[in-house]
Amino acid sequence: EVQLLESGGALVQPGGSLRLSCAASGLTFSSYVMSWVRQAPGKGLEWVSGISDSGGNTYYADSVKGRFTVSRDNSKNTLYLQMNSLRAEDTAVYYCAKDGTFWSGYGYYYYIDVWGKGTTVIVSS
Amino acid sequence: DIQLTQSPSFLSASVGDRVTITCRASQGISTYLAWYQQKPGKAPKLLIYAASTLQSGVPSRFSGSGSGTEFTLTITSLQPEDFATYYCQQLNRYPSWTFGQGTKVEIK
């Protein structure tokens, strides 16, 4: 069974930093694109960041670009999210997610097929 | 950026009802759309991808359709465990993936 387990969430002051980790098991971690998705209290889902299977390509939502850095260690089956210059609006549950792909014969389709349980980040003074 | 608008944002329905949720994209996304179900305090769960392909293990009462800018998620006979919030997500242009604002399905 594929499992993703996030850790590192905490209460942090505005302007502070935090690093989230996601330990993956039950899959060949190095074969998959991975994402971070967040959900502010009482709000909807927001895709935050993604990273290619090798780690060579990284992607960010405009809302976090320049402040967050995604990385992975395939030897440790672990995904990371370094969050700097945190703001109140970054308060959310952060989910680690595995991207799935489907070849239709005409092109690749993507989706998120495995989610972690989430870790809570609260940015407040 | 591609915006997704779900309607309705909230619906009240009874067990056994047929429920339809609509997701409209601000520009054409072919069939690069997925649907998720989320229950309170839980992570989302994939229901449908490529607009109409049912994820393995998802009951057949769930179905998806549409292409371009208009998509629907249909639950043919609502069950007690289906009361949840549903989100659409466009995956047309990586990495700028976006979600709809959600549709909460509650018991009438």
Side-chain angles (χ1 to χ4, degrees):
Chain A
E1 181 192 4
V2 177
Q3 289 192 329
L4 302 173
L5 183 62
E6 304 92 337
S7 60
L11 169 64
V12 61
Q13 291 192 339
S17 298
L18 207 56
R19 188 175 86 155
L20 306 183
S21 299
C22 171
S25 59
L27 77 167
T28 304
F29 181 69
S30 59
S31 296
Y32 297 101
V33 174
M34 300 292 293
S35 293
W36 288 97
V37 176
R38 68 184 180 183
Q39 187 169 36
K43 302 296 184 182
L45 302 169
E46 179 188 15
W47 178 85
V48 171
S49 181
I51 186 168
S52 62
D53 51 1
S54 67
N57 294 297
T58 57
Y59 310 92
Y60 302 93
D62 287 345
S63 57
V64 306
K65 202 173 292 182
R67 301 187 299 123
F68 289 12
T69 302
V70 62
S71 62
R72 64 193 297 163
D73 185 336
N74 286 343
S75 69
K76 294 183 178 179
N77 291 348
T78 303
L79 176 72
Y80 303 100
L81 186 67
Q82 177 68 42
M83 304 186 294
N84 298 331
S85 303
L86 283 161
R87 306 167 179 166
E89 54 265 36
D90 296 318
T91 294
V93 173
Y94 283 74
Y95 293 103
C96 169
K98 169 190 166 290
D99 296 0
T101 58
F102 164 67
W103 173 251
S104 69
Y106 299 98
Y108 279 106
Y109 286 86
Y110 296 93
Y111 45 87
I112 296 176
D113 60 352
V114 182
W115 299 71
K117 295 185 187 302
T119 188
T120 299
V121 173
I122 300 173
V123 183
S124 174
S125 54
Chain B
D1 286 2
I2 299 172
Q3 311 299 322
L4 297 179
T5 304
Q6 290 182 230
S7 59
S9 295
F10 172 88
L11 74 86
S12 181
S14 300
V15 173
D17 283 354
R18 178 185 181 94
V19 166
T20 298
I21 298 168
T22 298
C23 177
R24 289 188 173 87
S26 59
Q27 57 186 273
I29 58 171
S30 183
T31 53
Y32 294 102
L33 190 102
W35 289 97
Y36 302 87
Q37 176 194 68
Q38 186 180 34
K39 296 182 179 179
K42 301 293 186 182
K45 171 188 173 183
L46 175 67
L47 299 176
I48 286 167
Y49 61 92
S52 61
T53 302
L54 198 66
Q55 170 70 343
S56 176
V58 174
S60 59
R61 63 181 179 272
F62 291 92
S63 65
S65 65
S67 67
T69 60
E70 187 153 335
F71 303 85
T72 59
L73 172 70
T74 300
I75 310 171
T76 52
S77 178
L78 200 64
Q79 297 301 300
E81 60 268 29
D82 300 337
F83 292 95
T85 300
Y86 293 84
Y87 294 92
C88 57
Q89 180 196 23
Q90 68 82 16
L91 304 103
N92 178 61
R93 185 179 302 171
Y94 194 77
S96 297
W97 291 356
T98 49
F99 291 89
Q101 83 278 14
T103 295
K104 187 173 185 179
V105 177
E106 288 202 342
I107 301 173
K108 183 181 287 184

